[in-house]
Amino acid sequence: MTMTTLPEVTAGADELSIWPASTSRLPHGGLAVGGVSLAEVADRFDTPAYVLDEGEVRARCRTYRDAFPEAEVMYAAKAFLSRAMVRWVDEEGLGLDVCSAGELELAVTAGFPPERIVLHGNAKSPRDIGAALRLGVGRIVIDSASEIARLAAAVGPGGHQKVLVRVVPGISAGGHEKIRTGTDGQKFGLSLTDGSAQHAVARILGQPQLELVGLHCHIGSQITEVKPYVAALRRVVGLMARIRDAHGLVLPELDMGGGHGVAYRPGEPALDLTALARGLRGELASACAAAGLAVPRLAVEPGRAVVGPAGVALYRVLSVKHTGDRVFVAVDGGMSDNPRPALYGVRYAPRLVGRHSGAEPRTATVVGRHCEAGDVLAADVELPGDIRPGDLLAVPVAGAYHLSMASGYNMIGRPPVVAVADGAARLLVRRETLDDFRGRDVGA
Ligand code: LLP
């Protein structure tokens, strides 16, 4: 593909810094990802659509393997899952973190080895537990006292299941209040401070068919600093030492969860994985040495940082409205394919693609087509002043928690996922159509 140096709409040399590494500029304002023109993807697969750069996903998996060579890296499927994604993660040597029978069965039926899967959930349904035991998942993470006896009964007297205990360390971190899970007073895990984690450990040890192999701790999501992870690790290792003292049991595994933050707009901070790996490794070594503990095998569970920056959302502009001093650019998607701005106030950096505009930039708000005023995709962003219906907008960093959180609101239908790699595009997940809505509607 030809590279050009056409003047760009949004100034700044790092404008593409948050885009997949394969992104290249094409003549006339075009952009290519994975060697495929985004305008061509839009023409061929229609909009809205998610584009996923396979090479970027694989490269990010490898970055994790390189940063954490001694640890187990489990991709958090909730960020995005499809059969192709399952295969990429498997081929790149990662494990998988799932939180429902649905994610679990999709992964296993796509060929993922169940022993490399960990099952989470603050409220696992009988179907989740049944699927986990039937398929033989490697680990189940205990999240509440009440599920211990229930799980033990489901495993049965002759059975055996490895489990971890999810510990709440009392550390506050995360990009938004709704995705902070490290402190008491939220629904996940068992508190370290009020003793419920220790209590759960004792109860698990009373169930011979459950083998307690370690502790788990996920303090939140979209975290951009190493410090809270190190502080959490120190506290959890402290609990490991107390478990050893109380029960004579040295736990061999420590899963520090995910939550690794990425930049959604140029210039925003992202978590430095090398610094994280160094911080966790160093603290693990010193805390274990101080407590006289053997160093457990570390695990991490990144979701967003593996797949988020590999995705781009494509929309077609449907209308441009000037109201008072505001400009609303309405596109053919919205909160049903990306609820994140509405839920967490996340800011995105949409960009015109597919045509060159020499018009002066103007502040505009990109909104969706849903029937509520809160259906905003990107408030107060700079777009060319001549933006008009028919234009194509691309939103980078759309690979995580977009499709997986998409809804059927207004029966618009969830967008397709198109993989791009080596100059070719292929459909991974097809668009949801009226036939899908009609097919599920079985009443008279
Ligand atoms: N492990 C556990 C136990 C988790 O609950 C999560 C995410 C992860 C790993 C992966 O976290 P990540 O590396 O992707 O941050 N819908 C929100 C994010 C919710 C995260 C839920 N748990 C968003 O769109 O920002």
Side-chain angles (χ1 to χ4, degrees), residues 252-308:
E253 297 179 18
L254 173 57
D255 184 336
M256 287 304 294
H260 312 159
V262 303
Y264 282 92
R265 293 184 300 167
E268 284 181 355
L271 185 64
D272 177 342
L273 294 185
T274 315
L276 176 69
R278 199 186 314 120
L280 289 179
R281 201 180 292 128
E283 186 61 34
L284 189 58
S286 61
C288 288
L293 276 176
V295 174
R297 172 121 204 254
L298 189 65
V300 288
E301 299 172 339
R304 185 190 322 265
V306 170
V307 76

Side-chain angles (χ1 to χ4, degrees), residues 359-375:
E360 279 294 303
R362 186 170 58 188
T363 303
T365 290
V366 179
V367 296
R369 52 176 297 194
H370 293 279
C371 300
E372 29 190 303
D375 175 26

Side-chain angles (χ1 to χ4, degrees), residues 202-277:
R203 282 176 74 164
I204 292 167
L205 296 178
Q207 301 282 358
Q209 59 270 56
L210 301 184
E211 182 190 357
L212 180 65
V213 293
L215 300 182
H216 173 278
C217 175
H218 172 79
I219 54 177
S221 201
Q222 186 56 7
I223 298 166
T224 53
E225 286 175 1
V226 173
K227 239 168 137 182
Y229 285 104
V230 170
L233 183 140
R234 191 179 310 134
R235 292 192 186 177
V236 178
V237 171
L239 177 58
M240 286 184 146
R242 292 199 289 285
I243 291 170
R244 188 257 335 259
D245 295 344
H247 306 286
L249 174 68
V250 176
L251 295 174
E253 297 179 18
L254 173 57
D255 184 336
M256 287 304 294
H260 312 159
V262 303
Y264 282 92
R265 293 184 300 167
E268 284 181 355
L271 185 64
D272 177 342
L273 294 185
T274 315
L276 176 69

Side-chain angles (χ1 to χ4, degrees), residues 14-83:
D14 64 350
E15 190 217 347
L16 296 181
S17 62
I18 56 169
W19 284 71
S22 71
T23 306
S24 63
R25 295 174 201 270
L26 303 175
H28 315 299
L31 269 192
V33 175
V36 180
S37 151
L38 292 180
E40 280 174 29
V41 172
D43 287 344
R44 183 170 153 203
F45 297 98
D46 207 353
T47 53
Y50 306 108
V51 178
L52 195 57
D53 182 339
E54 176 180 349
E56 182 74 22
V57 172
R58 288 184 182 273
R60 286 175 171 273
C61 291
R62 277 180 222 141
T63 300
Y64 267 100
R65 291 251 35 92
D66 292 347
F68 293 91
E70 79 289 11
E72 204 160 337
V73 182
M74 322 278 286
Y75 168 65
K78 67 205 77 179
F80 167 73
L81 200 65
S82 74
R83 290 183 302 136

